[in-house]
Amino acid sequence: MLGKTAGGLFWMFRYLERAENTARMIDAGLRISLTRSSAAESEWTSILSSTGLSAAYKAAHGAPDGPKVIDFLLRDPNNPGSILTGIEAARMNARVVRTALTREVWEAVNECYMVLKRLLAQQIEDRDLPRVLQVIRQRSAFVRGALHGTMVRNDIFNFARIGTFYERADNTARILDQKYYILLPSVRLVGSPSDNVQWDTILRATSTTRAYQTLHDGDVDPKAIAQFLILDGRLPRSLAFCYSKIGDNLGYLEKEYGAHQPSHALVDSVCAKFKAHDMNAIFDYGLHEFITDFLRDSAALGRQIEIDYRFSE
Amino acid sequence: MAKKPTYFDEMFGHGTDARAPYADYCDWFLNEDTRRLLAKSEEAEALFRLIGVTFNVYGDPDATERLIPFDLVPRIIAAREWAKVAKGIEQRVRAINAFLHDIYHRQEIVRAGRLPAEMIARNDAFLPEMIGVTPPGDIYTHIVGTDLVRTGDDEFFVLEDNARTPSGVSYMLENRETMLHMFPELFSKIKVQSVNQYPRSLRKSLSGCAPDACSGRPTLAVLTPGIHNSAYYEHAFLADQMSAELVEGHDLRVVDGRVAMRTTRGYKPIDVLYRRVDDEYLDPLNFNPDSMLGVPGIMDVYRAGGITIANAPGTGIADDKAIYSYMPDIVEFYTGEKAILKNVPTHRCSEPEALKYVLDNLADLVVKEVHGSGGYGMLVGPAASKKEIADFRTKLEATPDNYIAQPTLALSTVPILTDAGLAPRHVDLRPFVLVSPDRIDITPGGLTRVALTEGSLVVNSSQGGGTKDTWILEE
């Protein structure tokens, strides 16, 4: 396979995953602004930070304001992180790697683009927003479904999956990076209603509310939330789950290509940290420091994968 | 007021009854509801949009990806009619390959006085870098698209020999797929020769021209200028169908005397490169130094026999519009036979007498740039305004060598489906020819392009043309 193709697949699925995650965050932000308008501004600020778009937003619009932030994240063509530009980039990459995709996967991503381009042609009114966010999640799921249902399990599939899990872990970590302080053990003692809402937002932004409640008998506890999003191997958005999947896929590549790459060693060392530490140990080390380390490792891994598999010259 | 010309209609001839090849189709059509067919038309468009069978229009920033309109009334040709056309194409393509070998070696045709030396020496399409180079298998034009027009029951003319990088074959294949998808009942009723073997034949044909440096099963790749190229869809389509890699210049470099592509496991040599990049962009070291689309040093590898480039560099000299006028001589010189397919009578404006005739008759002629393509920069006299003719006259007088002129042919028509039912529109035909050392393979049919505007003779997709499925009936 061409290195460029591997890179195109990796980025195609990163962009799709990112667009889906941004939709989740808008959903969480919307919920806060509907239920607790006083907390809305700080919530939008935090969402912009987790998407890494604070500076770009500020330059264009100044102070965070719900409708403006939503429009910026949904459809601003000048915002490289907006859902629309992300889907456009995913499709652009899909065109580059078209020969590696089944017709079903190509059509799913092409239709995703066509539908969203039409849907996001105008500013979305509040009342239409939930439906629009649903369409985004649904279209993204169609692509995933076509991928799983029609693609041969070879290196092409592996690079697609690595892109998905890499981006997903990165997104979960960025949300935790913004919210770590409300998950600290000391906060539990405070136990104000505001924190309950914040906890709810974290779960909502990762679409894990229901899963969390099922597994924890509805008991909302910040340490359990942190444990759930970082270490729980059953949750498809947890850091441990995503990295174990990245490791699996790098393992398949190793088997197919016959070479153990430095990126695989990097993933192994991150996975070893998840295995060796429970939440108490992570809190002792410092939750914020742990997340910061993870984001640093994540950036290094992204660079290393690109080198190991010759995405570019 | 000029007399309204009567055109040969391929469905109805000059009368009102269906010609024999269309008899079964017309029976079917008469029992169909036009509204249902119009709905099918929309279905086809949505399908093309979804598959992404699109092209980019140069210089049109608003429409980066457009569909070529597809008309669902097929163009039907009888086996007997096709057999003669195919024979003529084969003869012509054979002659073109022999011609290319000759002009890059001893130039016997010039020595024999059948072609003026300046037609080669002063021609930009002649590539000095190819002098003395014999490509693997001695094949220059692996893929040819011979543009034909029809004017009567048995009258076919060659309009152009596309010997560089002819495009459109993906439309031929997708059009057929779409027709099979929408009208399966028609294909069980009417026996049509299949076209879907083309990608396999292409792979086989290219593999048959692998260079000496190739050991084992040849590695093929398609070189595209990238996703912004107007024919990108086709490049991806062909690579996919042939199970070849789709590469761009930045995926390639010369490694150990071979052109190699950067894979996830390191550099892998390519044996046959089906390039869809023009000669001048192929190698910044040997041609245009600013090109980002090619591979530095590929020409040196090529000359040393390390790679097959299809089509060979320098084949443009054979489809040059000034050379075109010599094609009947060229065919005769290399095959010893009279050309089976006719050439359109061509006035070379570089010759003073011809220029005078052309200037006196601009309103009746089609005038083309010698090196132009895609229907750009041409004058269609009968359809042009007085001002357009006057403007063109100025250009022509300034650089007459740049132009040739031809009479406007009474191009045949084939009906298209409109809201008001069937309506005749002018068509041409581009059959696709594959050349390998042991055989010449012509896919039955080709791409029918149709001028969708009533009365228009310009079928180019960049100028509002559409396409049709082309049926060659079984014997």
Side-chain angles (χ1 to χ4, degrees):
Chain A
M1 187 204 300
L2 290 180
K4 174 187 70 189
T5 307
L9 288 159
F10 178 76
W11 278 101
M12 171 185 168
F13 283 89
R14 278 194 69 176
Y15 280 123
L16 283 170
E17 183 68 25
R18 190 181 295 176
E20 200 183 330
N21 287 316
T22 304
R24 287 180 217 291
M25 284 199 262
I26 295 173
D27 191 34
L30 183 68
R31 174 58 64 111
I32 286 255
S33 60
L34 291 179
T35 52
R36 281 173 42 84
S37 51
S38 61
E41 186 173 330
S42 73
E43 191 53 35
W44 290 121
T45 306
S46 135
I47 285 173
L48 285 169
S49 300
S50 6
T51 52
L53 297 166
S54 303
Y57 176 86
K58 203 172 166 209
H61 304 289
D65 161 63
K68 278 190 196 150
V69 176
I70 291 171
D71 196 59
F72 180 74
L73 291 176
L74 263 187
R75 52 184 289 274
D76 187 340
N78 300 316
N79 171 13
S82 78
I83 289 175
L84 191 57
T85 50
I87 295 293
E88 254 166 15
R91 177 175 178 271
M92 180 89 92
N93 277 285
R95 281 191 85 201
V96 171
V97 304
R98 170 116 190 215
T99 57
L101 302 174
T102 57
R103 187 162 176 157
E104 285 85 347
V105 173
W106 158 258
E107 288 182 5
V109 73
N110 191 33
E111 204 168 16
C112 172
Y113 165 77
M114 292 191 294
V115 165
L116 293 185
K117 199 172 161 74
R118 210 169 36 233
L119 203 60
L120 298 177
Q122 280 101 35
Q123 183 149 10
I124 304 299
E125 290 184 41
D126 278 359
R127 58 173 180 197
D128 295 326
L129 191 56
R131 188 178 59 86
V132 168
L133 294 175
Q134 188 206 353
V135 171
I136 294 166
R137 283 195 303 260
Q138 196 178 51
R139 285 288 157 188
S140 167
F142 284 172
V143 180
R144 196 159 38 242
L147 181 83
H148 281 276
T150 65
M151 295 281 291
V152 169
R153 296 319 196 244
N154 58 6
D155 48 354
I156 294 173
F157 187 80
N158 299 142
F159 284 111
R161 298 303 280 158
I162 291 169
T164 300
F165 290 117
Y166 178 85
E167 183 67 26
R168 189 182 292 172
D170 204 66
N171 281 276
T172 300
R174 283 177 195 286
I175 291 169
L176 287 169
D177 190 39
Q178 283 304 310
K179 301 282 190 187
Y180 75 93
Y181 57 90
I182 58 155
L183 295 174
L184 297 176
S186 52
V187 174
R188 195 161 24 154
L189 303 173
V190 181
S192 70
S194 127
D195 295 317
N196 273 316
V197 171
Q198 294 277 17
W199 299 335
D200 188 45
T201 308
I202 297 184
L203 293 173
R204 188 169 277 275
T206 50
S207 287
T208 53
T209 314
R210 177 93 185 94
Y212 176 85
Q213 283 168 352
T214 307
L215 293 169
H216 296 87
D217 297 330
D219 186 18
V220 182
D221 167 77
K223 185 173 146 195
I225 292 175
Q227 142 87 28
F228 191 51
L229 291 177
I230 297 172
L231 295 178
D232 198 323
R234 298 168 298 180
L235 176 70
R237 318 201 74 82
S238 77
L239 304 186
F241 180 92
C242 292
Y243 265 61
S244 113
K245 287 290 176 188
I246 296 173
D248 288 350
N249 281 284
L250 287 172
Y252 302 138
L253 288 176
E254 183 176 330
K255 216 164 152 192
E256 192 173 340
Y257 293 174
H260 188 78
Q261 299 286 11
S263 50
H264 200 172
L266 259 172
V267 171
D268 284 345
S269 75
V270 175
C271 288
K273 271 196 228 171
F274 292 139
K275 284 207 182 73
H277 300 88
D278 62 7
M279 257 349 268
N280 289 329
I282 292 174
F283 280 128
D284 285 347
Y285 178 71
L287 179 59
H288 189 226
E289 288 73 10
F290 187 84
I291 299 294
T292 307
D293 288 355
F294 176 84
L295 286 169
R296 198 185 51 228
D297 290 343
S298 166
L301 176 65
R303 283 192 300 274
Q304 195 59 45
I305 290 175
E306 191 172 330
I307 295 166
D308 289 350
Y309 297 102
R310 302 171 176 86
F311 288 0
S312 55
E313 267 211 277
Chain B
M1 193 70 188
K3 199 176 69 187
K4 197 183 173 211
T6 50
Y7 298 102
F8 173 71
D9 187 81
E10 298 191 16
M11 189 180 278
F12 299 113
H14 291 286
T16 48
D17 293 337
R19 289 174 64 249
Y22 285 87
D24 290 340
Y25 180 80
C26 285
D27 280 350
W28 172 87
F29 186 86
L30 288 174
N31 290 311
E32 285 295 309
D33 177 358
T34 308
R35 274 168 311 178
R36 185 185 92 97
L37 291 177
L38 287 167
K40 285 268 185 192
S41 247
E42 281 172 27
E43 193 186 310
E45 191 178 317
L47 199 62
F48 280 122
R49 180 80 61 192
L50 182 62
I51 302 169
V53 190
T54 55
F55 73 108
N56 305 333
V57 178
Y58 296 119
D60 183 354
D62 294 332
T64 49
E65 288 173 36
R66 288 214 321 227
L67 287 183
I68 297 187
F70 172 69
D71 175 70
L72 46 74
V73 180
R75 190 230 200 125
I76 309 177
I77 296 172
R80 172 189 55 78
E81 298 172 324
W82 173 251
K84 187 177 164 193
V85 170
K87 215 170 143 208
I89 294 173
E90 177 167 346
Q91 179 198 45
R92 196 157 168 124
V93 167
R94 216 176 273 292
I96 285 175
N97 257 295
F99 169 69
L100 284 163
H101 179 94
D102 185 31
I103 60 150
Y104 286 119
H105 291 81
R106 287 183 47 81
Q107 302 197 343
E108 300 286 1
I109 194 167
V110 177
R111 290 164 199 247
R114 302 287 288 271
L115 185 71
E118 72 265 19
M119 289 311 299
I120 305 288
R122 283 176 45 213
N123 197 320
D124 289 342
F126 180 77
L127 216 59
E129 288 83 353
M130 283 297 288
I131 293 172
V133 177
T134 304
D138 204 10
I139 305 298
Y140 287 81
T141 53
H142 309 76
I143 300 121
V144 183
T146 309
D147 284 353
L148 301 172
V149 295
R150 188 175 193 178
T151 57
D153 210 11
D154 196 27
E155 299 279 309
F156 287 88
F157 289 86
V158 176
L159 204 57
E160 246 175 67
D161 300 279
N162 295 287
R164 302 171 207 211
T165 51
S167 62
V169 76
S170 58
Y171 295 96
M172 169 184 87
L173 295 166
E174 290 289 5
N175 286 355
R176 177 62 55 82
E177 283 303 312
T178 304
M179 289 295 279
L180 283 164
H181 175 81
M182 292 195 305
F183 305 109
E185 75 275 17
L186 263 176
F187 289 89
S188 58
K189 209 166 111 124
I190 303 173
K191 292 297 161 211
V192 179
Q193 296 188 31
S194 75
V195 295
N196 63 8
Q197 68 280 11
Y198 180 86
R200 233 175 313 135
S201 306
L202 177 60
R203 177 165 190 112
K204 206 170 143 213
S205 180
L206 291 173
S207 300
C209 299
D212 292 341
C214 166
S215 54
R217 192 177 144 86
T219 301
L220 271 51
V222 177
L223 176 64
T224 174
I227 62 168
H228 300 295
N229 184 266
S230 68
Y232 178 77
Y233 168 75
E234 177 156 304
H235 307 160
F237 176 87
L238 290 174
D240 190 26
Q241 296 275 312
M242 285 199 294
S243 307
E245 290 292 357
L246 178 65
V247 298
E248 291 172 53
H250 59 81
D251 295 314
L252 306 178
R253 64 155 63 160
V254 175
V255 180
D256 300 332
R258 302 293 309 274
V259 174
M261 54 187 169
R262 194 183 66 253
T263 76
T264 48
R265 289 188 253 191
Y267 278 90
K268 182 179 176 189
I270 294 170
D271 297 307
V272 183
L273 188 65
Y274 176 17
R275 51 84 176 228
R276 297 292 294 257
V277 167
D278 292 343
D279 284 354
E280 74 171 299
Y281 301 107
L282 205 49
D283 184 347
L285 289 183
N286 282 278
F287 307 123
N288 182 350
D290 299 327
S291 170
M292 304 293 284
L293 305 177
V295 190
I298 188 174
M299 275 306 284
D300 304 319
V301 175
Y302 181 63
R303 280 191 290 253
I307 190 168
T308 298
I309 300 176
N311 288 346
T315 54
I317 187 79
D319 68 13
D320 184 76
K321 289 192 179 67
I323 295 287
Y324 168 87
S325 59
Y326 293 94
M327 278 308 291
D329 294 315
I330 289 172
V331 171
E332 206 178 325
F333 186 77
Y334 296 104
T335 65
E337 303 159 3
K338 286 268 177 220
I340 298 169
L341 289 171
K342 289 184 200 135
N343 238 36
V344 182
T346 301
H347 310 281
R348 304 171 193 129
C349 300
S350 54
E351 296 168 5
E353 251 176 67
L355 177 63
K356 182 174 180 318
Y357 174 83
V358 172
L359 288 170
D360 289 348
N361 294 280
L362 270 183
D364 300 322
L365 297 168
V366 176
V367 190
K368 297 174 179 173
E369 284 184 9
V370 173
H371 306 298
S373 69
Y376 291 102
M378 67 190 260
L379 175 81
V380 181
S385 68
K386 279 198 170 136
K387 178 167 186 327
E388 283 169 322
I389 289 179
D391 290 351
F392 206 90
R393 180 184 301 277
T394 316
K395 284 202 293 186
L396 180 55
E397 281 170 337
T399 52
D401 289 9
N402 270 350
Y403 296 94
I404 54 142
Q406 295 168 336
T408 42
L409 294 180
L411 294 198
S412 62
T413 54
V414 175
I416 62 167
L417 185 69
T418 68
D419 291 346
L422 295 180
R425 294 289 185 273
H426 293 292
V427 294
D428 78 353
L429 177 64
R430 176 176 290 179
F432 293 96
V433 190
L434 297 172
V435 188
S436 62
D438 55 342
R439 63 176 308 202
I440 290 177
D441 185 297
I442 306 170
T443 305
L447 180 66
T448 290
R449 298 187 296 177
V450 53
L452 295 171
T453 311
E454 192 176 354
S456 168
L457 294 166
V458 183
V459 297
N460 301 81
S461 54
S462 49
Q463 317 255 320
T467 68
K468 281 172 170 292
D469 191 14
T470 309
W471 293 3
I472 308 299
L473 301 179
E474 300 267 9
E475 295 269 4

